Amino acid sequence: MVLLVVVFLLMGILVGAVAHLPVPVSLFAGTVIGGWLTAFLLRERRTKRREEEPRAADHLRHG
């Protein structure tokens, strides 16, 4: 996912609308987007792990 952010940032700097912004602004925007994606990734992993854990009530019910 981080690789995608880097690739899109570089493509944006070279050919897109980001080419019209100063480089520090572009890097800051890429960092913000990367941070948001990292937070989303961690939240999704935590949610998935909680769903995979067996619940105490299920364990008691099945014996």
Side-chain angles (χ1 to χ4, degrees), residues 49-63:
R49 285 185 184 167
R50 286 184 182 170
E51 290 174 354
E52 291 175 353
E53 291 177 359
R55 294 183 210 152
D58 289 343
H59 178 65
L60 294 174
R61 198 177 304 148
H62 295 295

Side-chain angles (χ1 to χ4, degrees), residues 4-63:
L4 285 174
V5 172
V6 172
V7 168
F8 284 128
L9 179 63
L10 291 175
M11 284 177 45
I13 289 172
L14 294 176
V15 296
V18 179
H20 301 286
L21 295 173
V23 174
V25 174
S26 302
L27 293 176
F28 176 74
T31 303
V32 169
I33 293 168
W36 179 79
L37 288 174
T38 302
F40 179 76
L41 171 74
L42 294 174
R43 187 181 69 183
E44 289 297 313
R45 279 190 178 179
R46 188 173 7 151
T47 302
K48 188 171 185 175
R49 285 185 184 167
R50 286 184 182 170
E51 290 174 354
E52 291 175 353
E53 291 177 359
R55 294 183 210 152
D58 289 343
H59 178 65
L60 294 174
R61 198 177 304 148
H62 295 295

